[in-house]
Amino acid sequence: EQHYDPQALQAKWVRRWEELDPFRAAGDPADTREKRYMLDMFSYPSGDLHMGHAEAFGIGDVVARYWVQKGYNVLHPVGWDSFGLPAENAAIKRNAHPAEWTYANIETQAASFKRYGVSFDWSTRLHTSDPEYYRWTQWLFLRFFERGLAYRKGGLVNWCPNDQTVLANEQVVGGRCERCGAEVVRRELTQWYFKITEYADRLLDDMVQLEGGWPERVLSMQRNWIGRSEGADVDFVIEGRDEPVTVYTTRPDTLYGATFFVVAPDAPLAAEIVSDGQRAAFEAYRAEVAKLSDIDRLSTEKEKTGVFLGRYAVNPVNGERMPVWAADYVLSDYGHGAIMAVPAHDQRDLDFARAFDLPVRVVVHTGLADPGETGVATPGDGALVNSGPLDGLDKAAAIRKIIEILGERGTGKAAVNYRLRDWLLSRQRFWGCPIPIIHCPDCGEVPVPDERLPVALPDLRGEALAPKGVSPLASAEDWVSVECPKCGGAARRDTDTMDTFVDSSWYYLRYVDPDYEDGPFDVEKVRQWGPIDQYVGGVEHAILHLLYSRFFTKVLHDMGMVDFTEPFARLLNQGQVINQGKAMSKSLGNGVDLGQQIDAFGVDAVRLTMIFAGPPEDDIDWADVSPAASQKFLARAFRVMVEAGAASAPGADFAAGDLSLRKTVHKTVDEVTKLVEGHRFNVAVARMMELTSAARKAIDSGPGAADPAVREAAETLAVMLSLVAPYTAEEGWERLGRSASVATAGWPVAEPALLVEDAVTCVVQVAGKVRDRLEVSPDISEADLKALALASEKVQGFLSGEPRKVIVRAPKLVNIVP
Ligand code: ANZ
Ligand code: ZN
């Protein structure tokens, strides 16, 4: 039977793989093979798998399957990031429990993953919403708490009015909720934070380990997000206030050019120092600013606004009095919430100065036109002027000198500043990991003792989960009121749950043994498997999950629990699957359903189409690809395997096979190996297609199907195809008389002797007449060919001394003009 029926193959092999279980990486300590840990960013169970999953997991599977074929001990785990808002919203709508929706979706996805043929080790399976998992998320939280890395503080936070919960800074994109797109507002709340800022320098410095392994784009996004800058803290006296006010500046060299002083309107300092005469105007302004997002406030396009506070600050180096203003372009939570304004050399300050008619004084001679006239600030380097002891120095020297002067007077010092803020982790929602803290009126924040973990979620469902600005957990009175573990008095549980990014910050460690009961993960096994050799996932996590998990790994390193400092050695960000040039969306009606594609073309054709479409990082426009053509190719490859299998038996002596086809086989192996290692999977597939054609030709018009080289080609094809089209490969392998599974057959090795190219004939002409013919390699260089031609005795007989000209067209022609 030669007919290629993908659906029948799938039905057959999905069952067989269940029995064979070819991808189990038991973490056997006796297994001395080199390890490889392949990790896909785990899935959120929002429904069935979609085209995006098919792309990402298809790419990861090529890597994992290749490593298995290469004989590594491969860990390729599977799990679900199963806490989160969509489950909760669905539960409210259906008057159900979020767990019902969540676990039903997980089962759907698990079945789809199996059908899709992803080479997971199913024994690793975990779900972050299982009490057996979140018990350890809580345990880790408590370790962070003990180390002062989890703490509570009050302050202005980002609040999503739609999801009715606070958000971390990383979850606010362009002033909007990263999840639902609602405009984020500010609220004053006391919340839990992780002290990620304490790791800012290490998060930056350790990036050297990731260079080359991570996309440069992601590294630079993280660098910018952390936003380290160097400068100075400078103290200014405000007239009538005892305590001086500190400002952070990256340009202390421009101190003599400071002409006014600006305080963030929402900083307590502004309200404190405003004069009585200006108070009403200030209060009105502050109310206006409260409505704006940071994005609006920092926009260079926005017209500058502000109010004079009726007070003066004194420049510590020249005693000059500068008016103090409140303006929204200064943020309360950056630096110290106040700045010295240097309009000549800072554009925002210049815009403000021009709007309110404040003086502009040039202190760096950059050779550009006067900013006071042009409205264009000159932030560049140059010789200092109008700056007393700094005159004549360049920027770097002036910065050193002014820091020295300020240091001597005790009014300033060198300082480093970061954009990164601590990670706000409390969420006022139900379907997440409860924060294992008890608030006692006498003892304060008391950790739930380890042996009482997990703090399990109470059984709330439906209406009880509706968002109301405080966590739904607060309404579970029986659950909330507890005895204080310290004093036994009446106390209350913390009612917030953790950001789900906490769950995903450490899951890759638990995979090595998801049933482990003596800690969050088996430290010994993590030593064996870590760090992750290849991580595959979307670029949307560039500064969320990828920053948080790097932070977690460093803390765990400091706790002595892992011996590496970076969790993911290599990162691949797959492209998106789009349709007709646009992201798939309901409103555009351009969605493509994965299940329908699979029903129509088969899993292998869909997988192959994804891989063949282009480099893995590029977007795939489904309108530009052809799963039907992929299916046709697979049918051709299948027939080659079937015909070779029918014509010869396993164990043939390949050396006796047709030399030309054998050379093609080995050249293909050599190239596909390099292409897969370099993640050029699409080109690797193209080589497989060429090999298929070569084998077809050998069967039809060459040595015939029984030739050992045809078998060699077909077996090689089966193994290579198993990376992208596992069903076709498996069935082909069986038809070739080999025993399952092709997935563990072993990667072919190219024989060097068969990689030598055939020679080509080069014609050597002297004065236009053919005088010699040389057998040369097809990729001979021009210089080598020229030397070879001139050295020919036949040629030399027609030359007397140096030729006037030698024209070389490698490898076929050399033309000598004597
Ligand atoms: C004077 C100055 C002169 C500045 C000059 C720049 C150029 P980065 O590099 O991002 O750290 N700044 C400080 N705190 C601020 C706040 N809370 N809100 C808004 N702006 C603030 O930026 C540091 C610079 O941003 C600081 O250096 C300060 O302006 C401003 F020619 O001080 B600079
Ligand atoms: Zn107590």
Side-chain angles (χ1 to χ4, degrees):
E1 168 70 288
Q2 284 213 19
H3 178 63
Y4 178 67
D5 179 350
Q7 308 298 345
L9 297 191
Q10 284 164 215
K12 169 178 170 183
W13 285 99
V14 139
R15 271 198 316 275
R16 291 289 304 280
W17 287 332
E18 288 280 347
E19 295 155 23
L20 295 167
D21 201 5
F23 300 109
R24 197 158 176 134
D28 178 2
D31 194 335
T32 55
R33 293 175 303 162
E34 210 180 307
K35 71 90 188 177
R36 286 287 187 279
Y37 187 169
M38 163 62 221
L39 184 66
D40 308 279
M41 287 184 188
F42 63 171
S43 166
Y44 180 77
S46 52
D48 201 352
L49 299 184
H50 53 64
M51 297 294 277
H53 292 112
E55 152 88 338
F57 286 92
I59 289 168
D61 206 37
V62 171
V63 175
R65 285 175 174 271
Y66 172 69
W67 281 340
V68 168
Q69 294 286 19
K70 288 286 280 185
Y72 295 115
N73 188 17
V74 176
L75 179 62
H76 187 201
V78 60
W80 279 268
D81 190 10
S82 48
F83 270 140
L85 263 185
E88 200 166 325
N89 293 339
I92 295 164
K93 229 189 242 158
R94 300 159 191 213
N95 195 26
H97 193 282
E100 291 164 23
W101 182 90
T102 302
Y103 288 91
N105 283 346
I106 288 177
E107 286 316 316
T108 303
Q109 290 197 351
S112 293
F113 273 132
K114 288 186 176 173
R115 172 156 92 132
Y116 202 59
V118 185
S119 66
F120 289 134
D121 174 354
W122 284 90
S123 74
T124 60
R125 178 170 178 171
L126 62 77
H127 319 119
T128 59
S129 55
D130 290 352
E132 299 76 30
Y133 182 92
Y134 73 72
R135 167 186 179 191
W136 297 111
T137 305
Q138 292 172 341
W139 186 94
L140 287 167
F141 174 91
L142 292 177
R143 300 294 86 76
F144 279 53
F145 179 71
E146 287 160 8
R147 305 186 139 242
L149 293 172
Y151 69 95
R152 233 156 60 109
K153 74 168 178 197
L156 280 179
V157 298
N158 302 304
W159 176 265
C160 172
N162 179 46
D163 291 333
Q164 294 270 310
T165 180
V166 298
L167 302 169
N169 278 359
E170 287 79 9
Q171 288 157 336
V172 181
V173 178
R176 292 175 179 278
C177 171
E178 172 243 356
R179 165 167 295 287
C180 74
E183 206 160 321
V184 167
V185 298
R186 300 286 222 155
R187 268 205 180 179
E188 177 84 31
L189 283 173
T190 297
Q191 301 282 290
W192 286 97
Y193 292 82
F194 281 134
K195 216 184 227 171
I196 191 170
T197 52
E198 197 166 303
Y199 283 73
D201 274 327
R202 283 167 65 187
L203 286 165
L204 278 175
D205 295 346
D206 288 349
M207 274 188 216
V208 291
Q209 294 179 46
L210 307 177
E211 260 146 36
W214 280 39
E216 186 45 51
R217 169 164 76 135
V218 175
L219 293 179
S220 88
M221 282 169 83
Q222 290 213 357
R223 235 176 252 124
N224 290 338
W225 186 257
I226 297 166
R228 183 182 200 275
S229 74
E230 283 178 27
D233 277 346
V234 183
D235 299 335
F236 286 76
V237 167
I238 307 259
E239 287 174 1
R241 187 179 196 265
D242 293 339
E243 277 290 296
V245 174
T246 306
V247 305
Y248 173 74
T249 173
T250 43
R251 295 293 303 275
D253 56 313
T254 63
L255 186 48
Y256 285 83
T259 54
F260 57 102
F261 194 95
V262 189
V263 181
D266 43 345
L269 177 69
E272 179 204 317
I273 64 174
V274 63
S275 68
D276 290 342
Q278 289 298 93
R279 184 165 299 275
F282 165 71
E283 291 297 354
Y285 181 61
R286 185 164 71 162
E288 277 309 302
V289 172
K291 296 179 194 154
L292 300 175
S293 70
D294 281 3
I295 307 290
D296 297 330
R297 289 176 60 167
L298 288 175
S299 161
T300 44
E301 254 91 273
K302 184 179 159 293
E303 210 185 301
K304 291 279 176 288
T305 58
V307 283
F308 177 49
L309 293 181
R311 300 273 233 136
Y312 291 86
V314 182
N315 190 323
V317 285
N318 57 11
E320 246 177 53
R321 296 176 81 225
M322 309 183 296
V324 179
W325 288 68
D328 62 1
Y329 77 100
V330 172
L331 304 178
S332 59
D333 59 356
Y334 190 74
H336 303 285
I339 66 157
M340 65 176 205
V342 184
H345 307 295
D346 181 290
Q347 190 61 47
R348 289 166 301 175
D349 295 344
L350 182 59
D351 294 343
F352 192 84
R354 285 164 70 91
F356 294 96
D357 216 6
L358 294 159
V360 178
R361 184 191 306 142
V362 173
V363 290
V364 183
H365 187 78
T366 58
L368 298 171
D370 184 352
E373 255 131 58
T374 61
V376 180
T378 56
D381 204 346
L384 273 281
V385 293
N386 298 324
S387 295
L390 307 182
D391 281 355
L393 299 178
D394 67 6
K395 175 172 145 187
I399 288 177
R400 275 196 300 275
K401 177 91 183 175
I402 192 72
I403 286 175
E404 191 187 306
I405 294 172
L406 291 169
E408 280 162 10
R409 301 192 186 177
T411 52
K413 58 176 193 309
V416 173
N417 196 45
Y418 301 88
R419 218 180 87 101
L420 183 69
R421 291 285 159 267
D422 278 341
W423 170 10
L424 198 172
L425 71 102
S426 323
R427 294 292 177 277
Q428 289 69 45
R429 298 301 302 248
F430 171 76
W431 191 230
C433 174
I435 294 173
I437 292 285
I438 290 166
H439 299 282
C440 169
D442 295 325
C443 314
E445 294 158 355
V446 182
V448 174
D450 285 358
E451 61 277 11
R452 284 192 224 158
L453 300 179
V455 174
L457 285 165
D459 190 14
L460 297 182
R461 54 174 55 230
E463 241 331 279
L465 305 177
K468 36 186 135 354
V470 292
S471 171
L473 293 179
S475 66
E477 191 50 43
D478 291 351
W479 182 86
V480 174
S481 56
V482 283
E483 268 178 19
C484 167
K486 242 189 199 162
C487 69
R492 298 180 72 75
R493 286 190 194 282
D494 199 294
T495 56
D496 285 349
T497 53
M498 296 184 212
D499 181 0
T500 54
F501 280 107
V502 182
D503 311 328
S504 56
S505 288
W506 68 280
Y507 75 110
Y508 46 91
L509 301 167
R510 182 131 184 111
Y511 271 144
V512 303
D513 185 353
D515 302 320
Y516 191 65
E517 290 195 349
D518 299 327
F521 52 88
D522 184 332
V523 169
E524 274 315 309
K525 284 190 184 160
V526 165
R527 200 158 304 184
Q528 179 202 346
W529 285 109
I532 281 91
D533 296 284
Q534 180 69 58
Y535 202 17
V536 176
V539 73
E540 65 274 16
H541 290 293
I543 44 177
L544 287 155
H545 164 60
L546 289 169
L547 189 68
Y548 296 148
S549 40
R550 292 183 62 219
F551 162 60
F552 256 63
T553 302
K554 290 174 201 307
V555 176
L556 290 166
H557 176 83
D558 293 352
M559 290 168 62
M561 292 184 71
V562 300
D563 59 2
F564 44 88
T565 51
E566 284 295 336
F568 314 122
R570 290 183 63 150
L571 171 69
L572 189 153
N573 293 136
Q574 81 280 356
Q576 278 190 50
V577 189
I578 59 175
N579 192 23
Q580 295 149 8
K582 296 196 182 69
M584 295 186 196
S585 81
K586 271 205 188 106
S587 57
L588 290 176
N590 66 340
V592 177
D593 182 71
L594 176 62
Q596 278 171 11
Q597 294 293 305
I598 290 177
D599 289 344
F601 303 105
V603 166
D604 283 357
V606 171
R607 290 181 56 144
L608 188 107
T609 302
M610 297 265 181
I611 295 295
F612 187 51
E617 296 84 0
D618 288 7
D619 288 352
I620 300 173
D621 191 333
W622 206 249
D624 293 345
V625 296
S626 171
S630 299
Q631 194 191 38
K632 254 192 202 141
F633 157 66
L634 289 170
R636 272 159 51 86
F638 182 69
R639 274 197 300 278
V640 163
M641 295 185 276
V642 170
E643 286 172 38
S648 69
D653 177 16
F654 294 153
D658 176 75
L659 186 61
S660 155
L661 180 58
R662 292 206 72 206
K663 283 190 167 186
T664 306
V665 171
H666 286 261
K667 192 171 147 227
T668 306
V669 169
D670 183 56
E671 287 183 1
V672 169
T673 306
K674 287 173 189 151
L675 289 165
V676 171
E677 304 226 339
H679 291 177
R680 296 173 61 205
F681 309 127
N682 57 322
V683 189
V685 168
R687 293 289 172 276
M688 295 178 208
M689 292 174 170
E690 286 161 21
L691 178 61
T692 304
S693 299
R696 181 79 258 158
K697 224 171 119 195
I699 294 171
D700 293 346
S701 53
D707 189 280
V710 170
R711 169 164 283 273
E712 188 179 26
E715 290 192 357
T716 303
L717 192 59
V719 175
M720 294 194 307
L721 262 187
S722 75
L723 309 191
V724 268
Y727 290 102
T728 312
E730 201 76 84
E731 180 70 14
W733 191 245
E734 192 177 80
R735 300 292 190 97
L736 281 158
R738 306 290 308 258
S739 56
S741 160
V742 69
T744 52
W747 192 248
V749 179
E751 287 175 30
L754 291 170
L755 294 179
V756 181
E757 295 274 358
D758 298 326
V760 294
T761 305
C762 173
V763 170
V764 185
Q765 296 177 327
V766 181
K769 291 207 173 68
V770 177
R771 297 302 183 188
D772 198 1
R773 288 193 160 79
L774 304 169
E775 293 293 297
V776 298
S777 150
D779 39 43
I780 189 166
S781 73
E782 299 221 328
D784 287 353
L785 187 56
K786 178 178 169 183
L788 210 61
L790 291 174
S792 151
E793 273 180 36
K794 287 184 194 159
V795 167
Q796 280 183 348
F798 295 93
L799 293 177
S800 49
E802 278 293 299
R804 274 197 293 143
K805 209 169 168 190
V806 183
I807 301 151
V808 184
R809 294 277 176 273
K812 293 240 165 100
L813 176 72
V814 178
N815 189 359
I816 301 170
V817 185

